[in-house]
Structures are given as C-alpha cells and as structure tokens.
Amino acid sequence: MELQNPAQEIDAPTTITIKGILGLLMSSTDPKESGKRVISLGIGDPTAYSCFHASNAAQEGVVEALRSTKFNGYAPTAGLPQTREAIAEYLSRDLPYKLPADSVYVTAGCTQAIEIALSVLARPGANILLPRPCFPIYGLCASFRNIEVRYFDLHPEQGWEVDLDAVADLADHNTVAMVIINPGNPCGNVYSYQHLKKIAETAKRLGIVVIADEVYGHLAFGANPFVPMGIFGSIAPVVTLGSLSKRWLVPGWRLGWLVINDPDGSLMSPKFVERIKKYCDICGGPATFIQAAVPEIVEQTQEVFFRKTINILKQTSDICYQKIEDINGITCPTKPKGAMAFMVKLNLSRMKDISDDIDFCFKLAKEESVIILPGLAVGLKNWIRITFAVDVPALEEAMERLKSFCERHSY
C-alpha cells in the first residue's frame, strides 16, 4: 500500500491545529539519517528549555495549596472566589477602573476561554472577524459553533497593524465580535495605545465586542509597552482572555481567565452573564489546588523573574532577526517586539524544488531535523512562523541549519 505524504493530510485552515501539523512534521524527521537532534522552533512552550522555568513563588504557592488538603474538592464553576478576586486585582493595576471579581471567570487555559467567548456570543447567522494571520483555534472553535469567519488583514510593514477599513467593510448586522491578539501570536507585534484606541472606536461604530487575546500580556521588549485593551472598555465592551501560561512560564498548569471589561454595563446583561455561567457549568475549570495558588502567584512573583524572561526573549528574537537577514530566500518585514514567535516570508522565486510553505517545512524537517510551523496553519500561505522561546545554543544551531537548507534549495 502506498503511504500518503504527511503534507497531503493537512486540511483547510478552519480544521487546522498547530499541534496536529507539528505532529506530522515531527513524524517526518529522521535524526538517525540526518545525524542531527531534533530542534523545534514550532510550538510556544518555553518550558522545553532550561532557561525558562516557573518562579519560586508559583511553585511554592501550588505546593502549599496542595499540602493544605483544603482544595481537593470541586471549585465553583466560575472559579474560587479568592482566585477571581486575585485576577481582578492583578488586571486592575493597568486599568483606569477597578474590575469587580464577578467579571472574572477562571478557565482551563486560554484555549477554554476562547471556546467560552465564542460559544456565548454564537447565534444563528452570526459571523466573527478574525485577523489574518491568526491563532488557528479561533477559526476551529468558530466552525464548531457554526459561526461564519471573516478575515481582516494585518499590515506586516506597519507592525502588523489592523486594516481597520477592511474591518468596517466586513462587518454587518450579524457580526458579533472582532478578535485582537496583542502581543501578537503569530506575528510578534505589540500595538500602540493609539492603534488600540482606533480599534475600540471602530468596534463602537460597528456595535461589536472586542475579544482581546492577551495570553502574552506584558511580554513586550520593543518600543511599545504592553497596553491592555480593557483600558478602552468604556468605548466598546472588551472580553479579555489571558492566562498564567506564558508570563509565568507554566502552560501545563492550564490556568486561564475570561474577563468582561465593561465599566458602562453595555454587555453585562443578566442574560449574557447567565450564558457564561451555564457554559462554565458544562465544561468546568482548572484543578482546584492550582486555582487556590493564584493569589500567592500573582502577589509574590518578583519583578526580577519577569525581567529575566523579557531579557532572554529580547536576546533570542534579536538573534533570529539578525540571522534571517543573512539567509537567502526568506525575509522578515517587521522585527519582533513581543510574545514568543514571529512571521517570516518565503521568497519562492529564489528557491528551487520548493512549492510552498508546507513543502518547505516538511523538507526542512526531513533534511535538517528542524521543526518550523508553515504559515498556512495561521492563515498566511508561503510564510513561516518561527518561535524564539528557545535557549541560545539550540536556537543558533537551528538557524544555522535553516541557513544551510535555504542555501541548498536556492538558485
């Protein structure tokens, strides 16, 4: 029986998952044949490298909660009261108003927060506006909820800013929300205060909700500081999604949140709140003892821990950007300014026997044992996404292999 090419198994973008594609890429590597260890620049899990590890406060908070034996039972489905209060206080530090604890819903990572947000906004005939490129879970969740997806472009040469004219053209009376990911995955962008305000004003004119994915919140190392979208909650209602995963380097703990930034009460109707509560009843949340540790985690983690992470990401992103400038056939239009990954454009006219980004990534995996995510996975064909949350020696080795690969396949 003829074996199918793994690249041919990749389906349409609305059914793509990053883990699914990375699994196929991993299966196509052959370290014995290449004589090279596998290095993944494909997934945003920094804990695979020893330079990224959880803070002492986070570890001690979890151990203390577990040893107390007070948190072995079920938690309220919206989250433990002290957890909701701690998250509200943490987020309120950067807002012009104080978030009430009952606007916070504790979720099993940011992925579950995405699922809840789209589920409670879904209605017959609804559509949602997503950025292109975009974290693919949004399109996948929307398709499961029968929400039509409409994509607006981001401008790579302008720091991946939103094409607000396209947003206005795409929206209609059935549009329920637009999604903003800041700091950006997969682009590595960090939006300015002025641009975020324009987004909020556009949402107000269109009468839609802004879903602000801030899972990489505060992971900014360029000219623009991180500005939470919730600052503009009085202009347009904002549903903020976040988690401990990236800033605290604990993605496996699956502790996230969905927060309603709606100081004027335009979104928080009793019916809307009831829909969120019922959905939380259905799906449940993270482990109770992890929730119980959150107050200590957010209050006791020292700034030096966050600064160390930022310094490493700044260093590794600079290495990536500088190395790419010396590689024929690929270009990066915008230097990464935040998060843990960025987009790189393939110049196929300079490459021989490479048909597209899928072909590029599968041949790279087979020949060099380097895993990079094809741009199709995030909605941008003939681009690639490189994750730089990697220790420096592994990153430099991977980039050298990428350069060798491109040299072999370039005219």
Side-chain angles (χ1 to χ4, degrees), residues 25-193:
L25 287 166
M26 188 65 72
S27 68
S28 72
T29 62
D30 192 346
K32 288 184 179 179
E33 182 177 325
S34 68
K36 301 167 184 174
R37 63 170 178 149
V38 175
I39 302 176
S40 179
L41 307 183
I43 194 163
D45 184 353
T47 63
Y49 298 93
S50 60
C51 59
F52 296 103
H53 53 82
S55 69
N56 290 334
Q59 296 176 68
E60 290 167 5
V62 170
V63 170
E64 183 179 328
L66 190 57
R67 284 180 172 166
S68 75
T69 70
K70 296 177 182 178
F71 304 105
N72 294 330
Y74 294 119
T77 53
L80 290 173
Q82 62 267 42
T83 307
R84 300 174 78 187
E85 183 63 43
I87 294 169
E89 289 183 4
Y90 165 67
L91 296 176
S92 295
R93 297 174 192 171
D94 300 315
L95 298 174
Y97 53 89
K98 180 172 172 55
L99 279 170
D102 62 6
S103 69
V104 175
Y105 299 87
V106 185
T107 63
C110 194
T111 299
Q112 190 184 61
I114 294 170
E115 182 185 0
I116 293 173
L118 269 60
S119 297
V120 299
L121 289 169
R123 64 171 190 248
N127 66 72
I128 189 167
L129 309 183
L130 302 183
R132 182 170 47 215
C134 183
F135 183 57
I137 293 295
Y138 284 96
L140 190 61
C141 283
S143 67
F144 267 82
R145 300 300 170 199
N146 294 313
I147 303 173
E148 178 194 351
V149 173
R150 300 178 181 180
Y151 288 98
F152 57 87
D153 287 326
L154 306 179
H155 296 300
E157 290 79 13
Q158 298 170 28
W160 297 98
E161 287 191 344
V162 174
D163 184 339
L164 293 173
D165 291 334
V167 170
D169 290 341
L170 289 167
D172 60 22
H173 66 283
N174 284 322
T175 304
V176 293
M178 66 181 295
V179 171
I180 300 298
I181 305 176
N182 181 55
N185 176 22
C187 301
N189 55 278
V190 178
Y191 291 145
S192 67
Y193 179 99

Side-chain angles (χ1 to χ4, degrees), residues 6 23-31 361-363 365-367 371:
L24 292 172
L25 287 166
M26 188 65 72
S27 68
S28 72
T29 62
D30 192 346
C361 290
F362 273 93
K363 286 178 176 172
K366 183 173 179 58
E367 295 176 25
I371 307 295

Side-chain angles (χ1 to χ4, degrees), residues 322-345:
Q322 290 160 8
K323 296 281 188 184
I324 285 167
E325 288 188 320
D326 292 331
I327 299 177
N328 188 39
I330 62 176
T331 57
C332 180
T334 301
K335 188 175 183 179
K337 300 176 178 65
M340 295 181 176
F342 66 116
M343 297 298 292
V344 175
K345 186 174 177 61

Side-chain angles (χ1 to χ4, degrees), residues 54-62 248 293 296-297 299-302:
S55 69
N56 290 334
Q59 296 176 68
E60 290 167 5
V62 170
W248 276 269
E296 181 168 345
I297 291 171
E299 290 165 14
Q300 299 300 322
T301 302
Q302 300 297 308

Side-chain angles (χ1 to χ4, degrees), residues 4 14 16 77 115 127 147 207 250 296 303 322 380 383 388:
Q4 188 176 23
T14 53
I16 278 175
T77 53
E115 182 185 0
N127 66 72
I147 303 173
V250 288
E296 181 168 345
E303 184 61 33
Q322 290 160 8
L380 211 55
W383 290 65
F388 51 82

Side-chain angles (χ1 to χ4, degrees), residues 129 167 171-172 175-178 200 202-210 236-237:
L129 309 183
V167 170
D172 60 22
T175 304
V176 293
M178 66 181 295
T202 300
K204 179 181 180 180
R205 285 196 303 273
L206 300 173
I208 61 176
V209 174
V210 179

Side-chain angles (χ1 to χ4, degrees), residues 224-241:
N224 292 336
F226 167 65
V227 176
M229 192 72 202
I231 283 179
F232 309 103
S234 294
I235 297 175
V238 175
V239 177
T240 298
L241 314 180

